[in-house]
Amino acid sequence: MRILIADDELLSRRLLQKTLERAGYEVTAVENGREAADQLFPANGPRLALLDWMMPGLDGPSVCREVRNRKQQSYVYMVLLTSKESKEDVVAGLESGADDYLTKPFDPEELKARLRTGQRILDLEDRLVEAREEMRFQATHDGLTALLNRGVIMDLLGRELARSRRERVSTAILMCDLDHFKSVNDTYGHLAGDDVLKETAKRLLGSVRSYDFVGRYGGEEFLIVLNNCNPDFALARAEEIRKSISQKPMPSSSGPVPVTMSLGLLLSQDWGYRPVEELLQEADAALYAAKAAGRNCVRVASPDNSVADSQTKLDEPVRSRG
């Protein structure tokens, strides 16, 4: 555990540093309050701090107040060291944001015991933060694939479309569906089907940029949002995504599973100010067209009902999704 010591008295600072290093702490020692605050502000700074009350620059309580005003940083457990003993001083120190208060001269064993209490509190804080982040992740991501869930990616799509209209750029919407997925479950089993879905999610994420969005729309259907996508390259990018699925069988608990994907592509600049739901219906219609064309291909939604082709089919033509 890293710990910060702030004390303007050189002898006191060195004695305290040696005591804590023998106790197993990694010690950073500074001689004034301004340096102490600067050390505690970064996200990777010490989480424990021993602050002398009287210091040049900033005194101990002022350091506590500055640290507490930084809302985004991890919690820092701070102990004030002082010769002040009045109840008013104790109250003032704790109200400044200090977690504990130790009067000089102090017993080294008592100091270590109080620091161990601070470590337990920091451990509890970390577990609470981890649990909160896990709950947030579960609320926004699909449980099987860890992709964005339907509600979140729909919200992000709406925001991205609004942004692209303001900035006069194009957003590409890709509605994607695994071909014959029911037969995968029937032939290889549902556990293998889950493996295929997870591998599909991994490949989709690997085929887009870090600022694009990929979500599980439902079942074996996925929604991809390519932000600020140059229309001249949108079809080529859709083809790359399709090939990432079809070129190599998916690993599963039942062995390699060959899978292909059909995609419906829509470019927002071609459709003007349409509601999100309407654009998704058009992308879905393009996906149906890809299925009807034989699957394992891309079709582009066009306002004049024309369909732009990509490399076609490996399967027989059909008129239902799957």
Side-chain angles (χ1 to χ4, degrees), residues 138-196:
Q138 291 174 350
T140 56
H141 290 71
D142 174 62
L144 178 65
T145 65
L147 295 176
L148 297 171
N149 63 32
R150 179 168 177 157
V152 171
I153 196 167
M154 289 280 286
D155 179 65
L156 290 173
L157 172 59
R159 294 170 184 267
E160 182 58 27
L161 288 171
R163 186 195 66 82
S164 66
R165 288 163 184 160
R166 288 195 307 271
E167 299 180 7
R168 299 174 183 265
V169 295
S170 185
T171 296
I173 303 172
L174 285 166
M175 192 71 79
C176 315
D177 188 75
L178 292 175
D179 299 322
H180 296 304
F181 187 71
K182 183 178 183 302
S183 68
V184 171
N185 284 327
D186 293 343
T187 304
Y188 298 93
H190 287 276
L191 289 178
D194 288 347
D195 292 337
V196 167

Side-chain angles (χ1 to χ4, degrees), residues 65-295:
R65 280 189 287 270
E66 285 208 10
V67 170
R68 294 294 179 240
N69 287 333
R70 294 288 184 104
K71 302 297 185 182
Q72 301 303 318
Q73 67 184 149
S74 299
Y75 192 79
V76 179
Y77 190 91
M78 295 179 288
V79 180
L80 283 175
L81 304 176
T82 181
S83 57
K84 297 174 181 287
E85 297 183 2
S86 71
K87 186 176 294 185
E88 290 79 9
D89 289 328
V90 173
V91 171
L94 295 176
E95 287 189 343
S96 71
D99 297 282
D100 204 351
Y101 187 100
L102 203 55
T103 304
K104 296 180 179 180
F106 50 82
D107 179 72
E109 295 305 314
E110 180 184 3
L111 173 61
K112 294 174 191 176
R114 289 176 183 253
L115 290 177
R116 286 193 293 270
T117 298
Q119 285 184 256
R120 290 196 296 271
I121 290 174
L122 290 175
D123 288 342
L124 177 60
E125 166 78 8
D126 290 343
R127 289 198 295 271
L128 289 173
V129 169
E130 184 179 347
R132 182 186 65 198
E133 292 304 313
E134 184 176 347
M135 291 175 63
R136 181 180 297 163
F137 186 88
Q138 291 174 350
T140 56
H141 290 71
D142 174 62
L144 178 65
T145 65
L147 295 176
L148 297 171
N149 63 32
R150 179 168 177 157
V152 171
I153 196 167
M154 289 280 286
D155 179 65
L156 290 173
L157 172 59
R159 294 170 184 267
E160 182 58 27
L161 288 171
R163 186 195 66 82
S164 66
R165 288 163 184 160
R166 288 195 307 271
E167 299 180 7
R168 299 174 183 265
V169 295
S170 185
T171 296
I173 303 172
L174 285 166
M175 192 71 79
C176 315
D177 188 75
L178 292 175
D179 299 322
H180 296 304
F181 187 71
K182 183 178 183 302
S183 68
V184 171
N185 284 327
D186 293 343
T187 304
Y188 298 93
H190 287 276
L191 289 178
D194 288 347
D195 292 337
V196 167
L197 290 173
K198 288 186 279 189
E199 177 65 17
T200 297
K202 180 180 176 181
R203 294 187 188 185
L204 293 179
L205 286 173
S207 300
V208 301
R209 301 162 299 184
S210 60
Y211 51 87
D212 293 325
F213 307 134
V214 182
R216 188 179 181 190
Y217 196 68
E220 66 271 22
E221 204 165 12
F222 301 86
L223 178 61
I224 300 177
V225 181
L226 302 179
N227 304 317
N228 194 15
C229 181
N230 187 327
D232 294 336
F233 303 112
L235 185 57
R237 292 194 61 196
E239 270 294 301
E240 290 173 2
I241 292 170
R242 182 191 66 79
K243 290 176 182 177
S244 74
I245 303 300
S246 63
Q247 282 184 335
K248 187 162 66 171
M250 303 271 184
S252 80
S253 56
S254 298
V257 180
V259 178
T260 61
M261 175 175 275
S262 300
L263 299 90
L265 168 64
L266 181 143
L267 292 168
S268 64
Q269 71 165 23
D270 296 337
W271 292 84
Y273 292 87
R274 305 282 187 97
V276 172
E277 295 76 11
E278 186 175 330
L279 294 179
L280 287 175
Q281 288 177 358
E282 297 295 343
D284 202 46
L287 172 58
Y288 269 105
K291 294 287 186 180
R295 303 186 183 89

Side-chain angles (χ1 to χ4, degrees), residues 297-316:
C297 62
V298 182
R299 289 294 181 270
V300 181
S302 175
D304 61 5
N305 293 322
S306 64
V307 176
D309 197 359
S310 144
Q311 179 176 337
T312 24
K313 56 175 185 98
L314 295 179
D315 302 317
E316 73 282 0

